[in-house]
Amino acid sequence: MSEKTIPILPCRTLQPVLDFYRALGFEVTFQQKSPNPYAVVERGGIQLQFFGMKHYDPAGSFSTCYVRTHDVDGLYEAFRTGLKAAYGRLPTRGLPRIGPLKDTTYGTRQFLMSDPGGNCLRIGQQTSEDPHHRPAPRETFARALHHASLFADSKEDLARAAKIIDRALTLEDERPTPVQLLQLLILRADTARRLGDEEIAASALREAAAIRLTTEERHSVRDDLMRLEELRA
């Protein structure tokens, strides 16, 4: 079989999108301005094609494609490095943006990235043969983190994710472990920043940075600590 699937994604104008993918190490292998704006970018086995729509609204886009890789950590690091060099910082909100690298509840290690055209790329590596969501944990704070992560990253319902975290953090009869508190605060800062609430984001980041962890705990949350540094930069 020689079939191949190639996503064709919309954007308002091509140039910002092409500049974005060049920063990620892609090569523009085709571009035309007329009769219709169209371009192709390629990096290794990834090929994406784009078409221009004059009145397209990137902020309202629902276009998505999935990129499966055998080295998601390597791609994440390469993309972070390229974006920092191109934008002077890591874009974590608005368009374009890159999300955190994390292990999901459905057997995949992945990160989400949105280009200037509003197209979301889910880039992941399979870590389990079972693609189904795992049941939500019963423990209070693990359950809150489970649901908040799903709403923030899978459903893009940031307000709902923030509400879940705020409710968990105001409980008086139960307290999270240091690791749970760190993860909840980092996700709360991430959602706040994406919602444009810098005051809450800054407060959550300060509290997260002050948490003391053992060496073993720090190793277990290395992805979260990476995200903490990205959000504080």
Side-chain angles (χ1 to χ4, degrees):
M1 292 251 183
S2 58
E3 291 80 6
K4 183 177 182 179
T5 299
I6 300 171
I8 303 177
L9 305 170
C11 60
R12 181 180 295 168
T13 55
L14 289 175
Q15 199 56 53
V17 171
L18 299 183
D19 291 342
F20 174 81
Y21 284 98
R22 283 192 179 101
L24 299 177
F26 283 77
E27 179 185 359
V28 178
T29 57
F30 177 80
Q31 183 176 0
Q32 73 176 24
K33 296 182 179 179
S34 62
N36 301 301
Y38 202 93
V40 179
V41 301
E42 298 184 58
R43 185 187 196 277
I46 307 172
Q47 182 181 131
L48 305 172
Q49 301 188 10
F50 300 93
F51 63 97
M53 296 176 64
K54 185 178 295 185
H55 302 295
Y56 182 74
D57 178 16
S61 174
F62 290 96
S63 59
T64 304
C65 74
Y66 197 92
V67 176
R68 179 167 289 182
T69 176
H70 293 295
D71 185 17
V72 70
D73 288 80
L75 273 185
Y76 187 65
E77 183 58 36
F79 288 176
R80 288 172 72 250
T81 300
L83 291 176
K84 281 183 179 180
Y87 294 93
R89 61 176 180 80
L90 200 66
T92 57
R93 60 173 177 171
L95 294 175
R97 67 175 179 271
I98 185 169
L101 176 64
K102 59 175 61 177
D103 295 303
T104 71
T105 62
Y106 43 89
T108 300
R109 182 166 171 78
Q110 71 174 21
F111 64 97
L112 276 61
M113 182 173 65
S114 294
D115 66 26
N119 303 296
C120 176
L121 272 64
R122 294 175 179 264
I123 302 171
Q125 182 173 352
Q126 189 174 352
T127 57
S128 169
E129 295 298 322
D130 182 3
H132 297 91
H133 278 284
R134 310 299 186 262
R138 292 183 178 275
E139 194 276 329
T140 300
F141 299 102
R143 187 179 183 86
L145 187 63
H146 172 92
H147 287 303
S149 296
L150 287 178
F151 277 108
D153 297 325
S154 295
K155 297 187 176 182
E156 286 284 322
D157 190 342
L158 302 175
R160 182 72 178 273
K163 186 176 181 179
I164 291 170
I165 297 170
D166 289 343
R167 185 186 301 123
L169 292 178
T170 54
L171 292 174
E172 296 182 357
D173 55 341
E174 295 182 77
R175 293 303 301 164
T177 67
V179 164
Q180 291 173 329
L181 180 58
L182 177 81
Q183 292 173 319
L184 287 165
L185 287 170
I186 292 172
L187 184 55
R188 185 64 182 94
D190 201 352
T191 57
R193 179 157 291 175
R194 289 160 65 184
L195 287 167
D197 194 332
E198 284 296 330
E199 184 176 350
I200 288 180
S203 175
L205 290 172
R206 284 195 300 270
E207 190 173 347
I211 296 173
R212 293 178 178 271
L213 300 174
T214 66
T215 300
E216 184 178 351
E217 288 172 334
R218 291 184 66 85
H219 180 74
S220 72
V221 292
R222 57 189 183 278
D223 291 340
D224 302 280
L225 292 173
M226 179 188 299
R227 189 60 172 175
L228 175 61
E229 293 307 311
E230 291 170 354
L231 292 170
R232 294 180 69 197

